[in-house]
């Protein structure tokens, strides 16, 4: 019997790597038959061939039409909605769409990709059991989606990452691509030395998702990597790509800027459920370059 995995957001940065990883695993000798389908919102591509719009389409119809066994939600939903907000501060259209999506997937296994933005960043090295405390609309939407999945999907795992980076199907993430472009033009660029993340190589995040697709773990799982300042992140990444980091300058968070100073993650569960060792920034990028993934 063929298992069908549907990846929502398969044309996006993380989604492309998730589809590639799942299809690569399905081709290995001795693996059960698996079909991996990816969705797109506007344009199809090599990893995305099924049209799906989160705001207008019914996920349940898609699950039924393709006989889906597992749904991976790797899309970034940052637009749409209306001004009618409830007590949570999240627009009502988004809450309704999240609940409808979760209800449509309630009979399947679900792996939902969230992020450390569910925390306000006033702590450090957050673990899965820490209370969520979103400080902006994006974080509140993530919390609303997590709650919808938790309430309606019995067989569901939620993955949280802090800062995705690296090459996904040959394309470098926008943050590092921007820094690389500045250095290519001989320009300096500044980043906060007092803002901290736990950067996760995109292929490591995809590996985590694939492991949870194959397993039966439920609940929240963080992908823990070393706590690194945004400044050091860009310096280490550029050095791994063969650039001297001298044009990268230190900056500090302005006192009047409302941003999360530290969304670094730790985990109480990752080692027992996933087992792989997430890569550090420089090591991860060098491994991708050496493997030809940057081509």
């Amino acid at each position: 019997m063929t298992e069908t995995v549907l990846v929502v957001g398969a044309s996006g940065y993380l989604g492309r790597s998730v589809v590639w990883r799942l299809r690569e695993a399905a081709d290995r000798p001795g693996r059960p038959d698996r079909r991996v389908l990816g969705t797109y919102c506007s344009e199809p591509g090599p990893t995305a061939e099924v049209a799906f719009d989160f705001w207008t389409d019914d996920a349940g119809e898609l699950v039924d039409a393709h006989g889906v066994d597992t749904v991976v939600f790797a899309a970034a939903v940052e637009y749409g909605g209306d001004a009618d907000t409830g007590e949570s501060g999240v627009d009502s259209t988004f809450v309704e769409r999240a609940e409808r999506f979760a209800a449509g997937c309630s009979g399947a296994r679900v792996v939902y990709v969230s992020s450390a933005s569910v925390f306000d960043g006033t702590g450090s090295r957050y673990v899965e059991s820490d209370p969520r405390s979103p400080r902006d609309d994006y974080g509140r939407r993530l919390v609303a989606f997590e709650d919808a999945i938790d309430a309606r999907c019995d067989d569901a795992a939620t993955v949280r990452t802090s800062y995705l980076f690296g090459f996904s199907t040959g394309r470098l993430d926008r943050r590092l691509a921007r820094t690389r472009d500045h250095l290519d033009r001989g320009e300096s660029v500044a980043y906060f030395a007092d803002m901290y993340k736990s950067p996760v190589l995109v292929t490591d995040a995809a590996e985590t998702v694939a492991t949870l697709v194959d397993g039966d773990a439920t609940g929240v799982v963080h992908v823990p990597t070393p706590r690194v300042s945004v400044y050091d992140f860009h310096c280490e990444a550029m050095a791994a790509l063969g650039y001297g980091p001298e044009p990268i300058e230190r900056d500090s968070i302005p006192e009047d800027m409302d941003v999360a100073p530290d969304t670094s993650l730790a985990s109480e569960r990752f080692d027992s459920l996933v087992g792989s060792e997430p890569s550090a920034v420089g090591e991860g990028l060098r491994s991708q370059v050496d493997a030809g993934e940057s081509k």
Side-chain angles (χ1 to χ4, degrees):
M1 184 175 179
T2 300
E3 173 196 15
T4 299
V5 180
L6 179 71
V7 180
V8 178
S11 60
Y13 176 63
L14 174 60
R16 296 194 304 269
S17 283
V18 170
V19 170
W20 182 90
R21 171 61 181 79
L22 291 172
R23 287 178 177 170
E24 184 271 337
D27 291 337
R28 295 174 187 170
R31 289 297 300 263
D33 290 339
R34 171 181 285 170
R35 178 176 61 150
V36 182
L37 300 175
T39 75
Y40 66 91
C41 183
S42 55
E43 294 184 9
T47 58
E49 58 278 279
V50 179
F52 177 74
D53 187 327
F54 170 81
W55 296 102
T56 59
D57 297 337
D58 187 341
E61 293 180 358
L62 204 60
V63 168
D64 292 341
H66 295 279
V68 173
D69 300 286
T70 301
V71 177
V72 175
F73 192 95
V77 183
E78 302 180 25
Y79 59 90
D82 56 36
D84 181 15
T85 60
E87 293 182 3
S88 67
V90 182
D91 61 75
S92 58
T93 300
F94 181 82
V95 173
E96 184 274 332
R97 290 307 306 162
E99 292 178 347
R100 187 179 180 186
F101 180 89
C105 302
S106 61
R109 175 158 177 77
V110 177
V111 178
Y112 170 57
V113 182
S114 184
S115 93
S117 292
V118 301
F119 301 114
D120 63 12
T122 59
S124 180
R125 301 291 284 168
Y126 291 96
V127 296
E128 292 87 351
S129 59
D130 284 329
R132 299 168 302 175
S133 53
R135 68 188 302 149
D136 57 21
D137 288 344
Y138 177 61
R140 284 186 280 272
R141 285 188 173 195
L142 292 174
V143 167
F145 213 124
E146 288 187 3
D147 288 346
I149 295 294
D150 184 60
R152 297 178 178 271
C153 303
D154 293 332
D155 186 13
T158 293
V159 180
R160 291 187 190 137
T161 65
S162 173
Y163 217 51
L164 292 173
F165 74 96
F167 293 94
S168 174
T169 60
R171 283 176 276 181
L172 187 61
D173 67 273
R174 292 179 179 178
R175 296 186 189 98
L176 294 183
R178 173 180 177 271
T179 300
R180 183 180 60 183
D181 289 346
H182 277 288
L183 300 191
D184 282 339
R185 293 192 296 266
E187 301 169 349
S188 63
V189 60
Y191 291 105
F192 297 142
D194 54 355
M195 175 183 284
Y196 297 91
K197 308 287 184 180
S198 289
V200 179
L201 191 68
V202 63
T203 47
D204 286 348
E207 181 68 29
T208 299
V209 169
T211 300
L212 292 172
V213 166
D214 287 337
D216 56 7
T218 59
V220 180
V221 182
H222 289 180
V223 184
T225 58
R227 177 178 180 266
V228 177
S229 74
V230 174
Y231 166 78
D232 286 329
F233 164 73
H234 284 271
C235 288
E236 292 177 22
M238 290 302 106
L241 295 177
Y243 291 83
E246 293 79 11
I248 304 174
E249 301 175 353
R250 292 176 177 270
D251 201 354
S252 297
I253 302 172
E255 291 185 2
D256 60 349
M257 180 177 285
D258 184 20
V259 293
D262 191 338
T263 52
S264 56
L265 297 176
S267 179
E268 302 163 322
R269 313 183 68 204
F270 186 86
D271 287 345
S272 62
L273 296 180
V274 182
S276 59
E277 184 71 24
S279 305
V281 176
E283 171 195 4
L285 275 176
R286 282 191 293 271
S287 70
Q288 288 193 320
V289 171
D290 292 344
E293 294 179 33
S294 60
K295 303 299 183 183

